[in-house]
Amino acid sequence: MKNDPVVAIAGVTGAVGAEFIATMDKRAFPVGKLKALASARSAGKTLDFRGRKVLIEELSENSFEGVDIALFSAGGGVSRRFSPIAVKAGAVVVDNSSAFRMDPNVPLVIPEINAGRIAEHKGIIAVPNCTAITALMALWPIHRRNRIKRVILSTYQSASGAGAAAMQELIESTRASLNGQAYPPNVMPHPYAFNLFSHNTPIDPTTGYNEEETKVIQETRKIFEDDRIAVGVTCVRVPVLRVHCAAITFECERPISEGEVRAILTNAPGVRLVDDRVRNYFPMPIDASGQDDVLVGRIRKDLSDPSGHSIAMFVSADQLLKGAALNAIQIAELLPQRAMA
Amino acid sequence: MKNDPVVAIAGVTGAVGAEFIATMDKRAFPVGKLKALASARSAGKTLDFRGRKVLIEELSENSFEGVDIALFSAGGGVSRRFSPIAVKAGAVVVDNSSAFRMDPNVPLVIPEINAGRIAEHKGIIAVPNCTAITALMALWPIHRRNRIKRVILSTYQSASGAGAAAMQELIESTRASLNGQAYPPNVMPHPYAFNLFSHNTPIDPTTGYNEEETKVIQETRKIFEDDRIAVGVTCVRVPVLRVHCAAITFECERPISEGEVRAILTNAPGVRLVDDRVRNYFPMPIDASGQDDVLVGRIRKDLSDPSGHSIAMFVSADQLLKGAALNAIQIAELLPQRAMA
């Protein structure tokens, strides 16, 4: 990649868009020029970037001329339509949507797990589903030493996964609830204040699994390059703003102790142990919020498997950071140097 | 039991205490006289019961003279101290605390499952842990037809399980958060507004399981009268007011289909199916709140078990009703007639 790439952000006004910019700043990601792209509704506004005002432009077929890196986070439809155009214009696309994740020609990358796949890209690299990233960051260091045969996870997913409008709806509907006022849900399918509900993605009528769950199952296999890993998952939306959590039970091919898991995860990149039984202190959203690391704790033997092959644990990660923007910027940092255009 | 028993409620000012009274009214439970018992702090106040003012008295060793049924929900310490006194005074104690649940001389009763055990009581009958009730109501109708060998559950537990003060802390800390004000946690060990955390009971340093989880494991075995059932459980407190939910994966001895589970649960007492894949409508706290039934949905094959022996599902129940007060009143309704004192 050039030393001062032209970077386009498609979806710059969204929840992840804002974190792309914050993360680039935090990591001093080199940017020659920023192209801020959004829908017509936001075009003409400006945003602050490294001391300058940047005009927000409407995303169009002409947006990608001269762009080196295009970060997409504007939904699958926008990615499907504009990513090929960006690639044709010479950009490398790092796509946060689900549009290309299962495309065999598209690397699906969590840098701590499979950074080596980045070099194989044909123009598009996909950022995995945020729940998959959260869980796999903690599972991979174990899996590579003692193959995980089976995983059962239940998620506690925040509003941010459904975007900035969903976060706002959680805030405003909670305020209304506290004031005894009605608040008909607008973004989410169900009332969100002091409530929780099954993940708001369509359900496969045959399997009964929703799209979020299906993504976790499929993406785990692709990222681990293990088609046999058995995954059972229940995805639930909880009234939390921007951190996803998961209760995970996994079974290894060989026996494994909680001490081994703790030792492995202590040295795992991007993972931080928060596992204090005496203080009853474990991963939770307020501590993971705004943090790069995936927090892991409650590591203990799964008492439902007397064979000693199974462990239970709990993970929390900022859905907008490691679950989206940070993972994308980490990929962009690893793009190979290219000749100047 | 007498036609017009004298009923004492120990802990009448608590969250469950209020629901004892509401449930007795709703079910037209016969009450000759109500003795409203609480701590010294509440003594001297009054409460409304069936059109009359009832004076709240301080719970003491003399509180149980002439009492036929004593409903306890004032914590394990109060139950341990005063239940034997109530029994000695001639009352039958229905205890909502964990004090006597694992005592081999005390029946641990969910009437839909093991009402027959009530007759064996020696003065005390225990109401199971609220999470255990919520899960077992949905598991028992399956277990009795096709033995469940293994259960893995992750809970989404409400503030009400920690009492009225915890519910108030959730409300007030959320209001403070929305107003940008600090709110140091007082009842709960961690900030509760838009946050979740591992269950706030002490953790066994050997197993790593907290007391709530240990209760679920032990009580499942006692209620099902099955010492071999393998249970793995993660208990999590979420910012919801009064409904507990759980994501449950279970494995049966023989193959089982989601159709069979749906058919079994359609006719199960105290259970209501809420399982609409097309509308993405499943059990959630706002629908279970104030309801007697345990809601069950998301019934589907556990995709992590290709053998066809495992099913995943999601349950919601009002922690204060079926998880506590309702279950206790159901037990009281089934107490055998006794000679008049």
Side-chain angles (χ1 to χ4, degrees):
Chain A
M1 189 49 59
K2 298 196 307 196
N3 284 331
D4 56 348
V6 177
V7 177
I9 297 177
V12 76
T13 56
V16 175
E19 298 299 337
F20 279 145
I21 289 176
T23 301
M24 287 193 296
D25 274 354
K26 190 172 164 191
R27 299 173 73 91
F29 186 86
V31 177
K33 186 186 167 198
L34 178 70
K35 292 200 77 168
L37 306 172
S39 67
R41 198 159 35 94
S42 300
K45 296 179 188 168
T46 60
L47 58 82
D48 292 318
F49 182 68
R50 299 183 178 174
R52 292 194 195 171
K53 295 273 179 210
V54 175
L55 184 72
I56 299 175
E57 300 169 58
E58 183 180 356
L59 174 60
S60 78
E61 299 192 357
N62 304 316
S63 295
F64 299 98
E65 280 163 38
V67 169
D68 298 298
I69 301 172
L71 304 171
F72 274 76
S73 191
V78 168
S79 289
R80 263 185 295 272
R81 180 169 165 207
F82 290 101
S83 290
I85 294 167
V87 171
K88 198 169 252 178
V92 177
V93 170
V94 182
D95 182 26
N96 193 49
S97 84
S98 62
F100 301 102
R101 285 181 192 147
M102 295 311 296
D103 184 327
N105 289 314
V106 173
L108 183 65
V109 174
I110 301 172
E112 290 84 349
I113 300 178
N114 60 349
R117 293 287 167 206
I118 293 173
E120 299 169 6
H121 80 81
K122 296 178 173 63
I124 303 175
I125 300 154
V127 175
N129 169 272
C130 45
T131 301
I133 294 175
T134 302
L136 300 186
M137 280 290 288
L139 291 172
W140 171 254
I142 300 153
H143 183 72
R144 59 190 286 265
R145 288 169 177 85
N146 185 351
R147 181 175 172 269
I148 293 173
K149 291 159 57 178
R150 183 186 187 187
V151 188
I152 293 173
L153 60 155
S154 305
T155 74
Y156 304 71
Q157 295 184 230
S158 63
S160 62
M167 296 170 79
Q168 200 57 33
E169 179 155 301
L170 174 56
I171 291 170
E172 294 309 326
S173 63
T174 303
R175 197 190 303 278
S177 170
L178 290 172
N179 293 335
Q181 294 160 347
Y183 189 100
N186 180 26
V187 180
M188 288 302 199
H190 305 294
Y192 207 174
F194 303 112
N195 194 30
L196 58 83
F197 45 87
S198 189
H199 196 276
N200 52 299
T201 38
I203 293 170
D204 181 324
T206 308
T207 66
Y209 283 71
N210 61 47
E211 281 181 5
E212 184 82 354
E213 293 162 349
T214 306
K215 288 174 192 172
V216 171
I217 295 169
Q218 294 178 338
E219 295 179 24
T220 296
R221 293 188 179 138
K222 178 165 177 174
I223 295 164
F224 280 10
E225 297 174 22
D226 183 336
D227 280 342
R228 291 176 304 140
I229 188 168
V231 182
V233 53
T234 301
C235 287
V236 177
R237 195 73 81 179
V238 295
V240 163
L241 282 164
R242 56 179 282 167
V243 167
H244 282 4
C245 300
I248 304 177
T249 300
F250 63 88
E251 180 184 352
C252 289
E253 225 149 42
R254 289 175 283 112
I256 190 160
S257 71
E258 59 178 57
E260 286 173 79
V261 171
R262 209 168 280 120
I264 289 168
L265 293 179
T266 299
N267 297 307
V271 168
R272 181 151 57 87
L273 276 197
V274 180
D275 202 14
D276 187 336
R277 293 178 182 177
V278 175
R279 291 173 59 227
N280 203 326
Y281 208 109
F282 303 106
M284 53 185 170
I286 52 162
D287 286 343
S289 190
Q291 301 298 310
D292 288 353
D293 286 340
V294 176
L295 311 186
V296 186
R298 297 231 58 208
I299 297 165
R300 64 208 193 278
K301 187 177 171 178
D302 164 26
L303 294 179
S304 79
D305 177 10
S307 79
H309 289 235
S310 296
I311 294 287
M313 63 188 186
F314 195 81
V315 298
S316 299
D318 192 310
Q319 186 272 330
L320 295 174
L321 294 179
K322 187 58 192 169
L326 171 62
N327 197 81
I329 301 298
Q330 286 177 300
I331 292 170
E333 287 170 345
L334 294 169
L335 288 171
Q337 298 265 346
R338 296 192 311 170
M340 300 284 280
Chain B
M1 189 47 62
K2 297 197 305 195
N3 284 331
D4 57 346
V6 177
V7 176
I9 297 178
V12 75
T13 57
V16 175
E19 298 298 338
F20 279 144
I21 289 176
T23 301
M24 287 193 298
D25 274 353
K26 190 172 164 191
R27 299 172 73 90
F29 186 87
V31 178
K33 186 187 168 197
L34 178 70
K35 292 199 76 169
L37 306 172
S39 66
R41 198 158 35 94
S42 300
K45 296 178 187 167
T46 60
L47 58 81
D48 293 318
F49 181 69
R50 300 187 177 172
R52 292 192 197 173
K53 296 273 180 210
V54 175
L55 185 72
I56 299 175
E57 300 169 57
E58 182 179 356
L59 175 61
S60 78
E61 300 191 357
N62 303 317
S63 295
F64 300 96
E65 280 164 39
V67 169
D68 298 297
I69 300 173
L71 305 170
F72 273 76
S73 190
V78 168
S79 289
R80 263 185 295 273
R81 182 168 163 210
F82 290 100
S83 291
I85 294 168
V87 171
K88 198 170 256 179
V92 176
V93 170
V94 181
D95 182 26
N96 193 48
S97 84
S98 62
F100 302 102
R101 286 182 191 145
M102 295 311 295
D103 184 328
N105 289 313
V106 173
L108 182 64
V109 174
I110 301 173
E112 291 84 350
I113 299 178
N114 61 348
R117 293 288 168 205
I118 293 173
E120 299 169 5
H121 80 82
K122 296 178 174 60
I124 303 175
I125 300 154
V127 175
N129 169 273
C130 45
T131 300
I133 294 175
T134 302
L136 300 186
M137 280 289 289
L139 290 171
W140 172 254
I142 300 153
H143 183 72
R144 59 191 287 263
R145 288 170 177 83
N146 184 350
R147 181 176 171 268
I148 293 173
K149 292 161 57 179
R150 184 186 186 187
V151 187
I152 292 173
L153 60 155
S154 305
T155 73
Y156 304 71
Q157 296 185 231
S158 63
S160 62
M167 296 170 79
Q168 200 56 34
E169 180 155 300
L170 174 56
I171 290 170
E172 293 310 325
S173 64
T174 303
R175 196 190 305 278
S177 170
L178 290 172
N179 293 335
Q181 293 160 348
Y183 189 100
N186 180 27
V187 181
M188 288 302 199
H190 305 293
Y192 206 173
F194 303 112
N195 193 31
L196 57 85
F197 45 85
S198 189
H199 196 276
N200 52 299
T201 38
I203 292 171
D204 181 323
T206 309
T207 66
Y209 283 70
N210 60 47
E211 281 182 5
E212 183 82 354
E213 292 162 350
T214 306
K215 288 174 193 171
V216 171
I217 294 169
Q218 294 178 338
E219 295 179 25
T220 297
R221 292 186 180 139
K222 179 166 177 175
I223 296 164
F224 279 10
E225 297 175 22
D226 183 336
D227 280 343
R228 292 176 303 140
I229 188 167
V231 182
V233 52
T234 300
C235 287
V236 177
R237 195 72 82 178
V238 294
V240 163
L241 283 164
R242 57 178 283 165
V243 168
H244 282 5
C245 301
I248 303 177
T249 300
F250 63 89
E251 180 185 353
C252 289
E253 226 150 42
R254 289 174 284 112
I256 190 161
S257 70
E258 60 180 55
E260 285 174 80
V261 171
R262 207 167 282 121
I264 290 168
L265 293 179
T266 297
N267 296 307
V271 167
R272 181 152 56 90
L273 276 196
V274 180
D275 203 14
D276 186 338
R277 293 177 181 176
V278 175
R279 291 173 58 224
N280 201 327
Y281 208 109
F282 303 106
M284 54 185 170
I286 52 161
D287 286 342
S289 190
Q291 301 298 310
D292 288 352
D293 286 340
V294 175
L295 311 185
V296 186
R298 296 229 62 207
I299 297 164
R300 63 209 194 277
K301 188 178 171 177
D302 165 25
L303 293 179
S304 79
D305 177 8
S307 79
H309 289 234
S310 297
I311 294 286
M313 62 187 187
F314 194 82
V315 298
S316 299
D318 191 310
Q319 185 274 330
L320 296 174
L321 295 178
K322 187 58 193 168
L326 170 61
N327 197 81
I329 301 298
Q330 287 178 298
I331 292 170
E333 287 171 346
L334 293 168
L335 288 172
Q337 298 265 347
R338 297 191 312 170
M340 301 286 280

